[in-house]
Amino acid sequence: MITEKQRERAKFFSNMHKERKMFVLPNAWDAGSAVVFERAGFAAVATSSAGIAYSLGCPDGETITFDELLYVVERMAQRIGIPLSVDAERGYAETPEGVKENAKKLLEAGAVGFNIEDGLPDGTLSPLDFQLDKIAALVELKRETGLDFVINARTCAYWLNVAGEEGNFEIALKRGNAFADAGADCVYVPGALCEETVAKLALGIKAPLNVILNGAFHDFAKLETLGVRRLSVGSSPARFIYGQAIEMSRALRAGDPSLLLGTKFSYASANEFFA
């Protein structure tokens, strides 16, 4: 059931995209990491599809079931008091109607936003008309529920490098504007984008632009000046934590417990933090 508090969070999250400044949206992979981000002071949190998959022992790319995703989203929403956006990947369905039904279940679990992407497992992009039908189904769900949730339409042109720099830009621009015209509230173009590309995309796409934190260009002040409105961090926090866990486990297996014994986050501190 959609609550009044959820409606308030949806409106707040929607308005974040309309302000003339950039916000950083951290990507959590379980309820605990969502709580960590909330208590760090972030105004909203999103899920990481890859992070959730890793937490379940799987690779990214809709390799987990929709029910597994739904359970994680429910647990996150129950533990935080800020807006929660869900990376729904391709929608976990083969039809726009199926995507709409799954989105409805995620709303009922507490979500107030969705990523819907066009990247396919074979490294190509889904047909544009099919993506527009998915967005239209989500817009219809908005009308039916009266909930102003955020539709963040993602094109994987750069992420999958489907056509080289020039081709990727033309595809991202065309699809981004088509997504916006279909009713998307924000357009997500992840990839290692340089400053010039970010500037051209922000200028050319008729919707708030979402990019991902990357090593090529990550100056927060410049990104905001260029017109980026939403900066996602993707799976990097989950990979950071799992990278440390792998390092610790290998050291422990070799008989070195120093990393574990050196932690300053004590049992009592952990219980206090998550209380």
Side-chain angles (χ1 to χ4, degrees):
M1 183 178 70
I2 295 173
T3 66
E4 190 57 36
K5 284 187 177 180
Q6 188 177 2
R7 293 188 186 280
E8 292 172 1
R9 291 174 190 170
K11 183 177 180 180
F12 177 83
F13 190 52
S14 176
N15 286 338
M16 287 174 67
H17 295 74
K18 298 169 185 174
E19 296 179 6
R20 303 301 296 174
K21 60 182 180 179
M22 184 182 78
F23 65 93
V24 178
L25 188 65
N27 297 85
W29 57 95
D30 58 14
S33 57
V35 169
V36 167
F37 287 128
E38 178 182 29
R39 296 189 179 174
F42 287 97
V45 68
T47 67
S48 161
S49 64
I52 291 175
Y54 302 155
S55 75
L56 296 174
C58 301
D60 190 22
E62 284 196 19
T63 59
I64 64 172
T65 67
F66 176 73
D67 285 343
E68 288 173 320
L69 171 64
L70 184 62
Y71 174 78
V72 175
V73 170
E74 287 174 335
R75 294 301 299 153
M76 285 187 182
Q78 288 168 6
R79 291 297 296 152
I80 61 175
I82 56 177
L84 173 63
S85 182
V86 175
D87 184 351
E89 300 191 73
R90 298 186 302 279
Y92 288 81
E94 299 303 320
T95 65
E97 294 75 19
V99 171
K100 177 184 174 182
E101 183 60 29
N102 285 341
K104 183 178 179 181
K105 292 177 182 177
L106 290 168
L107 290 179
E108 291 170 348
V112 297
F114 301 106
N115 281 11
I116 190 75
E117 68 184 58
D118 62 3
L120 298 175
D122 64 2
T124 63
L125 301 181
S126 175
L128 177 56
D129 287 346
F130 186 48
Q131 289 304 115
L132 297 180
D133 287 343
K134 288 183 181 181
I135 294 171
L138 293 176
V139 171
E140 185 176 66
L141 183 61
K142 272 194 180 190
R143 289 196 298 267
E144 292 174 0
T145 60
L147 185 69
D148 187 23
F149 63 84
V150 173
I151 302 171
N152 191 36
R154 165 176 165 167
T155 178
C156 296
Y158 279 94
W159 189 256
L160 298 175
N161 190 24
V162 296
E165 175 60 33
E166 186 174 341
N168 291 341
F169 175 77
E170 294 300 327
I171 292 170
L173 188 65
K174 176 183 177 180
R175 290 195 169 218
N177 282 322
F179 295 163
D181 288 340
D185 302 290
C186 187
V187 172
Y188 187 17
V189 187
L193 309 179
C194 67
E195 182 174 354
E196 180 183 1
T197 298
V198 170
K200 291 193 298 182
L201 288 171
L203 183 64
I205 292 177
K206 302 176 294 184
L209 178 64
N210 180 191
V211 300
I212 196 168
L213 181 69
N214 66 83
F217 175 50
H218 50 268
D219 184 309
F220 284 19
K222 286 185 178 180
L223 285 166
E224 180 174 273
T225 299
L226 292 175
V228 172
R229 291 293 164 259
R230 172 168 160 172
L231 177 64
S232 300
V233 298
S235 65
S236 56
R239 289 185 285 105
F240 174 77
I241 295 300
Y242 279 114
Q244 289 195 320
I246 291 168
E247 182 181 352
M248 173 275 296
S249 66
R250 288 172 176 167
L252 184 64
R253 179 66 181 83
D256 177 11
S258 59
L259 290 174
L260 284 177
L261 296 176
T263 181
K264 296 179 180 179
F265 195 41
S266 69
Y267 175 77
S269 298
N271 276 334
E272 181 180 359
F273 183 87
F274 288 108

